[in-house]
Amino acid sequence: MLYAGFYGMKRGLVWLRNDLRLKDNLPLYNAAHDCDEVFPVYVLDPRLFRQLNVGFRKTGPYKTRFLLEALHDLDKKLKQVGSGLIFRQGNPENIIPELAKEWNVQVVYTSKETGTEEQNVENVLERELTGHRIMLEKYWQHTLFHEEDVPWPIRQVPEVFTSFRKESEKMVDVRPEVPEPASLKTPQHIMYGAIPEFSELGLEEEKSDKRSVIEFKGGETAAWERLNYYFWQEDLLKNYKFTRNNLLGGDYSSKLSPWLSLGCISPRSVYFEIKRYEEERKKNVSTYWLFFELLWRDFFRYMSKKHGAAIFRYEGFNGSPPDYNEDHEKFDAWRHGETGEPFVDANMKELLLTGYMSNRGRQNAASYLMYDLGVKWTWGAAWFENRLIDYDPSSNWLNWAYIAGVGNDPRQGRQFSIESQSAKYDPKGEYTGLWLERDAIS
Ligand SMILES: Cc1cc2nc3c(=O)[nH]c(=O)nc-3n(C[C@H](O)[C@H](O)[C@H](O)COP(=O)(O)OP(=O)(O)OC[C@H]3O[C@@H](n4cnc5c(N)ncnc54)[C@H](O)[C@@H]3O)c2cc1C
């Protein structure tokens, strides 16, 4: 037996990252299958909350609250299969090897990430583990299409979304999901550690605003509730293509992004639910379109792997960036929804007060900051990182780089006309009115 360890028993540690779920979780599934005892661990990395030079923290209150809720839900679900979530705070590359040594673990199972900070952590961890003769098994599981199934080596993944989509959807099948582990055995004597209260993390208290598009609650349970609502209960999927650019209310788009970003649900699970919906209810351009949007997510994930640290740089990896200033007054006015441009201000208030903003709003707000105010686009991307409840490194930074013309836009950047966009998408001023004319903080 390759891993026969302590008393001939095989022990696995599952380092949970942005894969906070039981269903379709390959590291957890394989550990449950291969090992006699499994230790599911989450490590809250304090570097997530570090202060940035632009004057705020890297991660803000909405995503943090959502993460804590997701961890509680995960703990509950793990308890139902005989285990529980082991929680620690600190640098994962130090803590995971320490725990693995303490518990005589032979294999650490985890998900692969593509962001540079995440990969650096992974690399240091791997070196540490190798030094102690502990194996690291890493699984690719954040996309619909598996990295081994796409028809290109990473260096040759097309730079243009349409080429990526056309070739990959023709040639690649989405791999089947893996089920939840039926049971997990974790020794009871270990110290599980308590998930902190939000107030212990020293962040500003987030606002609670009743105008929020929906009430976002972290966790796998709530992810499936949202999917069931959108697909099955309210049958909203069948019109998605025609509603997705709206701005008001919970129903115009899936709102699955926060759960996808922390892996409370896998993109594959969403895909197979779309397929089931097509069989049982309706197959049309809207059902295809949700899949199409998920392919954008895949595309940016592959681009972040291909371009590494360049996706976070002002110069990006293609084209040339717009001229910029570092005007803090303009930037702060934009952040707080006080530029005097109502459509942008309404969107920025929604973000500030709820952690969410529609795709249309994000495009306009980003364009306005870099082209109308001339402020450095990377500052705006950092503010989105702090505020967005669905923040995801590749989707955020590569959408910004796209608009700035230093990423994957074949037109090399696009300035949105705020006037015509607001006339088209908010013709009666209802959206602007909702955010600028009433003060609805509950
Ligand atoms: C400047 C800017 C920053 C963004 N930052 C993020 C981010 O940090 N995290 C994030 O998940 N999305 C980001 N997006 C993409 C998009 O705005 C959100 O995914 C979407 O608004 C989330 O709402 P939804 O789940 O209802 O989307 P839906 O319209 O229901 O789409 C379904 C899913 O498809 C994916 N998707 C849709 N559009 C995009 C896109 N343009 N790029 C990548 N994936 C997409 C998302 O996973 C989304 O949940 C950003 C877009 C812009 C223009």
Side-chain angles (χ1 to χ4, degrees):
M1 264 216 299
L2 182 60
Y3 309 123
F6 212 49
Y7 307 124
M9 180 121 82
K10 187 171 170 189
R11 288 180 150 186
L13 185 157
V14 182
W15 173 32
L16 293 146
R17 305 175 82 187
N18 294 313
D19 50 4
L20 305 179
R21 62 176 181 270
L22 265 64
K23 187 176 166 68
D24 197 28
N25 188 333
L26 276 164
L28 197 62
Y29 177 80
N30 282 341
H33 188 260
D34 296 349
C35 301
D36 302 296
E37 290 183 330
V38 176
F39 300 80
V41 182
Y42 184 86
V43 183
L44 185 63
D45 189 333
R47 290 169 293 198
L48 273 182
F49 307 112
R50 72 168 194 268
Q51 196 69 23
L52 304 177
N53 291 338
V54 263
F56 44 82
R57 287 175 197 268
K58 187 172 156 62
T59 307
Y62 298 107
K63 177 129 194 173
T64 304
R65 164 88 63 192
F66 192 81
L67 168 66
L68 296 179
E69 288 165 355
L71 294 175
H72 280 291
D73 186 62
L74 184 62
D75 181 40
K76 201 165 133 203
K77 296 200 64 135
L78 284 167
K79 282 185 175 133
Q80 287 163 3
V81 293
S83 181
L85 184 64
I86 301 161
F87 177 86
R88 297 287 188 275
Q89 290 193 60
N91 295 350
E93 67 274 28
N94 305 127
I95 291 185
I96 296 293
E98 277 165 23
L99 293 177
K101 274 188 290 167
E102 183 185 331
W103 296 329
N104 293 301
V105 157
Q106 291 99 33
V107 189
V108 170
Y109 299 79
T110 198
S111 292
K112 282 186 193 174
E113 287 286 348
T114 53
T116 39
E117 288 173 356
E118 290 81 355
Q119 282 199 335
N120 289 342
V121 167
E122 244 168 74
N123 294 341
V124 178
L125 172 78
E126 190 150 20
R127 278 202 301 277
E128 281 286 304
L129 291 175
T130 311
H132 298 291
R133 295 170 188 264
I134 299 168
M135 282 189 61
L136 180 63
E137 284 193 15
K138 297 191 281 185
Y139 295 86
W140 179 271
Q141 57 166 6
H142 289 306
T143 55
L144 285 175
F145 294 146
H146 196 279
E147 62 170 347
E148 286 162 11
D149 300 341
V150 293
W152 323 271
I154 193 68
R155 287 282 129 230
Q156 283 165 28
V157 178
E159 289 291 320
V160 176
F161 172 69
T162 309
S163 315
F164 170 85
R165 175 182 64 80
K166 285 190 174 157
E167 278 191 64
S168 58
E169 71 182 345
K170 201 167 58 198
M171 299 178 71
V172 189
D173 287 329
V174 177
R175 292 187 179 187
E177 303 156 273
V178 294
E180 290 188 12
S183 72
L184 283 175
K185 195 162 171 252
T186 308
Q188 287 307 306
H189 60 269
I190 55 163
M191 193 189 68
Y192 275 83
I195 299 164
E197 295 293 325
F198 179 87
S199 56
E200 290 169 48
L201 296 173
L203 298 178
E204 68 186 284
E205 193 54 45
E206 93 274 38
K207 317 272 191 299
S208 153
D209 193 301
K210 60 176 187 264
R211 291 168 293 185
S212 180
V213 279
I214 62 170
E215 198 185 320
F216 291 103
K217 189 168 171 37
E220 185 171 13
T221 309
W224 282 94
E225 280 169 13
R226 176 63 196 173
L227 186 143
N228 285 331
Y229 172 88
Y230 195 77
F231 283 41
W232 303 106
Q233 195 183 315
E234 298 299 321
D235 230 354
L236 297 165
L237 179 56
K238 68 174 191 285
N239 293 321
Y240 169 72
K241 175 135 197 292
F242 309 100
T243 58
R244 55 177 284 275
N245 275 314
N246 294 348
L247 305 166
L248 282 163
D251 290 352
Y252 64 81
S253 66
S254 75
K255 310 290 185 299
L256 286 171
S257 53
W259 290 284
L260 283 165
S261 76
L262 284 183
C264 302
I265 190 166
S266 79
R268 285 197 299 238
S269 290
V270 179
Y271 172 81
F272 287 112
E273 285 290 308
I274 297 174
K275 292 287 127 191
R276 187 160 78 87
Y277 184 92
E278 288 179 339
E279 271 170 33
E280 294 178 18
R281 292 268 170 96
K282 194 164 195 64
K283 179 176 178 170
N284 62 17
V285 67
S286 284
T287 56
Y288 172 75
W289 217 260
L290 192 61
F291 167 66
F292 176 97
E293 292 299 335
L294 288 170
L295 286 186
W296 270 105
R297 187 176 167 278
D298 267 35
F299 173 65
F300 285 140
R301 192 52 86 139
Y302 281 103
M303 285 300 113
S304 83
K305 183 159 186 211
K306 181 173 178 181
H307 294 291
I311 75 165
F312 303 105
R313 281 202 288 265
Y314 179 71
E315 304 76 24
F317 51 89
N318 256 331
S320 47
D323 292 338
Y324 74 88
N325 61 60
E326 293 188 344
D327 186 328
H328 279 276
E329 250 177 60
K330 285 184 183 165
F331 182 51
D332 288 346
W334 177 81
R335 286 201 295 137
H336 295 112
E338 291 165 358
T339 66
E341 171 50 67
F343 189 56
V344 172
D345 287 349
N347 277 290
M348 294 306 294
K349 285 253 189 257
E350 182 181 6
L351 178 67
L352 183 72
L353 299 174
T354 73
Y356 184 81
M357 190 198 286
S358 69
N359 186 55
R360 186 57 45 191
R362 294 181 204 203
Q363 290 174 325
N364 278 277
S367 165
Y368 189 77
L369 179 79
M370 64 181 96
Y371 295 113
D372 295 73
L373 300 179
V375 174
K376 203 173 188 177
W377 73 262
T378 47
W379 285 14
W383 178 243
F384 271 33
E385 174 165 353
N386 171 290
R387 283 289 112 174
L388 282 174
I389 191 165
D390 63 15
Y391 170 70
D392 168 272
S394 41
S395 291
N396 186 59
W397 288 83
L398 284 161
N399 267 294
W400 274 89
Y402 193 95
I403 296 167
V406 294
N408 300 101
D409 185 359
R411 276 171 30 193
Q412 306 246 310
R414 45 193 77 202
Q415 177 170 11
F416 288 76
S417 155
I418 308 300
E419 203 186 328
S420 61
Q421 289 273 305
S422 63
K424 185 167 176 192
Y425 295 105
D426 189 28
K428 296 187 192 140
E430 287 168 281
Y431 176 76
T432 310
L434 177 72
W435 288 100
L436 300 186
E437 283 161 27
R438 280 195 276 137
D439 184 6
I441 296 173
S442 56

